[in-house]
Amino acid sequence: MEKKRIAVLVSGGGTNLQALIDATHAGVLQSGELTLVVSSSSKAYALTRAAEAGIPSAVLTGKSFEPELEALLKDYQIDLIILAGFMRILSPAFTARHDRRILNIHPSLIPAFCGKGYYGLRVHEAALARGVKVTGATVHFVNEIPDGGEILLQKAVEVLPDDTPETLQRRVMEQAEWKLLPLAAELVSRGEIK
Ligand code: GAR
């Protein structure tokens, strides 16, 4: 079977992109091919990771982000879009055009600590402020509702008494995000999740 062509959208450090790259080398991600990386910031370290892995990348900022992204997706014949720490919200028109073709990783157990305003470290700050004892990560399809699409995979992670937002973020990444995202990418590429 031909590999699905994947575009990864990033904005920052790109550790989830790195997990996808590593999963390709480890054979965990074998039904999909990391074809293109698109960053919403020219400063994102994710761009360095893409370059080191030999994956073409583009930086898109500003108002014409979506038309430019559509053109790139067409040029590179992309089948699947993965939001990996991507900090922009896509328009309802865009998500409708790519229904069940966009995956997102979110650093909590949806429906807790998700939706508008909950991204990156803020999610872990909110979890600690609320005093939850368990948090985690979720991979879901993207629709017009921020963090509202169908849930595909979730993994729980323990919150420890001395956690700071930073230590909790790291544990959620290590124990949940970096495993769930490559697995979801493989399952969707292989057609096991439709
Ligand atoms: C990750 O924790 C990801 O789950 C989160 O941002 C971080 C990006 O890290 N995404 C969101 O909060 C989306 N709402 P990375 O750039 O190292 O992958």
Side-chain angles (χ1 to χ4, degrees):
M1 202 172 70
E2 234 174 79
K3 289 190 183 192
K4 296 287 185 223
R5 294 169 66 81
I6 299 174
V8 186
L9 274 53
V10 298
S11 299
T15 65
N16 280 288
L17 168 64
Q18 191 65 53
L20 291 164
I21 294 167
D22 294 347
T24 301
H25 296 142
V28 171
L29 175 54
Q30 43 179 315
S31 307
E33 181 179 356
L34 302 175
T35 306
L36 175 69
V37 170
V38 177
S39 176
S40 64
S41 161
S42 60
K43 297 197 185 95
Y45 186 68
L47 290 167
T48 304
R49 298 181 190 273
E52 282 173 359
I55 306 167
S57 64
V59 177
L60 297 183
T61 53
K63 284 209 172 112
S64 56
F65 182 90
E66 282 189 7
E68 288 174 24
L69 178 58
E70 289 285 15
L72 280 171
L73 297 176
K74 209 168 162 218
D75 282 354
Y76 283 86
Q77 300 174 309
I78 297 300
D79 302 302
L80 178 66
I81 301 164
I82 298 182
L83 311 186
F86 181 65
M87 296 303 169
R88 282 183 74 135
I89 293 184
L90 296 165
S91 73
F94 186 94
T95 58
R97 273 197 302 278
H98 301 279
D99 186 35
R100 302 180 85 78
R101 291 284 174 276
I102 314 174
L103 294 179
N104 180 46
I105 177 92
H106 183 76
S108 74
L109 293 174
I110 291 175
F113 313 116
C114 68
K116 209 163 175 272
Y118 287 102
Y119 56 85
L121 214 50
R122 288 180 186 214
V123 178
H124 305 291
E125 284 166 1
L128 289 178
R130 186 63 185 84
V132 295
K133 303 301 175 205
V134 173
T135 184
T138 302
V139 178
H140 62 92
F141 277 132
V142 173
N143 66 7
E144 73 285 1
I145 303 161
D147 298 323
E150 183 186 332
I151 291 171
L152 304 180
L153 299 174
Q154 289 190 305
K155 191 165 188 292
V157 174
E158 196 183 357
V159 178
L160 298 180
D162 293 336
D163 265 332
T164 62
E166 289 78 9
T167 62
L168 184 57
Q169 179 183 53
R170 181 78 193 178
R171 188 173 322 105
V172 169
M173 284 175 158
E174 282 177 359
Q175 294 186 5
E177 295 187 46
W178 300 341
K179 293 176 182 162
L180 286 191
L181 190 59
L183 178 60
E186 173 60 21
L187 293 175
V188 173
S189 297
R190 209 193 288 163
E192 265 181 53
I193 297 177
K194 290 200 177 92

